[in-house]
Amino acid sequence: AFVESAIDGGYVVQLIVSRAQRMVGIEHHARWVSKEWSPDRVVTRLAYWSYRYDDWRTQAQLARLTTALALLCVTHELIRLWAHNPSKRALLRRLGSSYWLLLTVPSFALPALAELTQRPISVSSYTLWVSANELLMFVRCFHEGHVLPPFKVIVLTLANAAGQLLSFSIAMLCAIAVLAAVFVQLFGAWHPAYASFGMAFTRVFTSFTVGAEVDEDAMRVSPAGAALAHYVTNLFLFLIVSQFFIAIVVGSFDATREVERELRRYREIPSGYAPFGSPGPTPRRLADALGYLCAYR
């Protein structure tokens, strides 16, 4: 009776581990798949939380550290903008661009704000926050591909194909959503992988990327439905739709290489002329390399 009432409330048990000034809790949640039709089947999940007692010394140190890093990032970005010697209009346009507002500013401002406000946050939310910030920094690294020769073709290829990939992705996601809804109707009452639309969507999306194997559990419940799901996902998603994705990227790659070839040919020294000049002294070259690393010049 206790377990049944706990599942009705969506909460089962909580385990708390405490050491010194830190506490970590693990919550076990459960919900019925269908209490009326499947009373012996439940879906479980775990949730984690943490709590630390206020220690003003540690908080002050973390606040100073994150603020210093944020100021360093701001200084770095301002130096990079100053290196291009832009006009006031160009500077305002740069500061109001989507890249600056959605990627640059959040990557260094959000961690500092989170630490300065001292808002409580769970362990899972904290790791998700850190991972999202790392992904922002990773996307910003791709921006350097415009000036680093080994990555320039990759970045330009993705930039040229972005519009077509976006249009194709919308149509692809709609098709995956329809198939996920169909599979939930076929197997949702018996198969845990199709118990919810989100889980079914993830499974169908995986079939789009790597193909689908014959699902033995679904085959035991509905052989005809399992065969339909297997052939539709492999023939339609994996062998047809996913190839359009590859074709768009390959086409953009070929176009980008052709443009780069034309630019290289345009910048070559004309026939009958010879290169003139010699590299600068070593200290000067080292200073230029250091300036590039510090200010992306």
Side-chain angles (χ1 to χ4, degrees):
F2 168 75
V3 174
E4 183 176 354
S5 61
I7 295 176
D8 288 336
Y11 175 80
V12 179
V13 69
Q14 178 176 239
L15 174 64
I16 300 177
V17 179
S18 177
R19 176 177 296 179
Q21 292 184 337
R22 295 182 179 273
M23 299 177 66
V24 176
I26 305 175
E27 297 179 354
H28 296 262
H29 297 262
R31 62 176 178 83
W32 303 103
V33 175
S34 175
K35 187 177 180 179
E36 181 179 1
W37 300 102
S38 301
D40 59 339
R41 292 181 61 85
V42 296
V43 177
T44 62
R45 68 179 179 87
L46 295 177
Y48 303 90
W49 59 266
S50 67
Y51 179 81
R52 80 162 183 259
Y53 293 97
D54 290 337
D55 185 349
W56 65 271
R57 296 182 183 86
T58 303
Q59 293 179 2
Q61 291 175 359
L62 290 175
R64 284 195 294 267
L65 177 61
T66 54
T67 304
L69 291 176
L71 291 176
L72 179 62
C73 292
V74 171
T75 304
H76 168 79
E77 292 298 328
L78 293 178
I79 292 176
R80 186 171 69 88
L81 293 175
W82 170 79
H84 294 284
N85 194 22
S87 62
K88 291 184 179 180
R89 179 176 298 180
L91 181 60
L92 293 177
R93 189 185 307 116
R94 178 70 178 86
L95 295 178
S97 64
S98 58
Y99 179 84
W100 173 266
L101 296 177
L102 298 179
L103 294 177
T104 304
V105 174
S107 63
F108 61 77
L110 293 182
L113 291 176
E115 190 60 40
L116 291 173
T117 55
Q118 289 295 317
R119 296 181 62 85
I121 187 171
S122 64
V123 175
S124 58
S125 299
Y126 176 78
T127 54
L128 178 62
W129 181 279
V130 173
S131 301
N133 197 68
E134 291 171 347
L135 289 176
L136 285 177
M137 299 299 295
F138 179 71
V139 173
R140 290 187 60 194
C141 288
F142 269 88
H143 185 71
E144 303 308 317
H146 289 284
V147 294
L148 297 176
F151 304 100
K152 188 174 183 180
V153 174
I154 298 176
V155 175
L156 293 178
T157 297
L158 295 177
N160 294 334
Q164 292 181 342
L165 289 177
L166 180 60
S167 302
F168 173 77
S169 297
I170 294 174
M172 177 197 69
L173 293 176
C174 292
I176 293 177
V178 172
L179 291 177
V182 171
F183 295 159
V184 168
Q185 295 178 95
L186 288 173
F187 315 113
W190 303 279
H191 202 305
Y194 299 100
S196 64
F197 177 79
M199 298 173 64
F201 187 91
T202 302
R203 191 177 181 90
V204 176
F205 183 83
T206 303
S207 302
F208 164 77
T209 56
V210 298
E213 298 181 355
V214 177
D215 195 327
E216 296 181 357
D217 295 333
M219 186 67 72
R220 285 192 293 267
V221 175
S222 176
L228 176 66
H230 175 74
Y231 289 115
V232 167
T233 52
N234 281 289
L235 290 176
F236 176 68
L237 287 181
F238 183 65
L239 295 180
I240 298 177
V241 178
S242 64
Q243 304 309 311
F244 281 99
F245 189 91
I246 298 174
I248 292 173
V249 177
V250 171
S252 177
F253 178 75
D254 292 338
T256 301
R257 292 189 63 184
E258 183 64 28
V259 171
E260 286 296 309
R261 251 187 248 110
E262 291 295 330
L263 289 176
R264 195 178 303 114
R265 190 179 303 113
Y266 175 78
R267 294 167 181 168
E268 287 180 351
I269 299 176
S271 58
Y273 292 83
F276 177 80
S278 59
T282 301
R284 176 60 183 175
R285 283 183 287 172
L286 292 176
D288 291 341
L290 183 61
Y292 171 77
L293 292 175
C294 296
Y296 294 146
R297 295 193 65 174

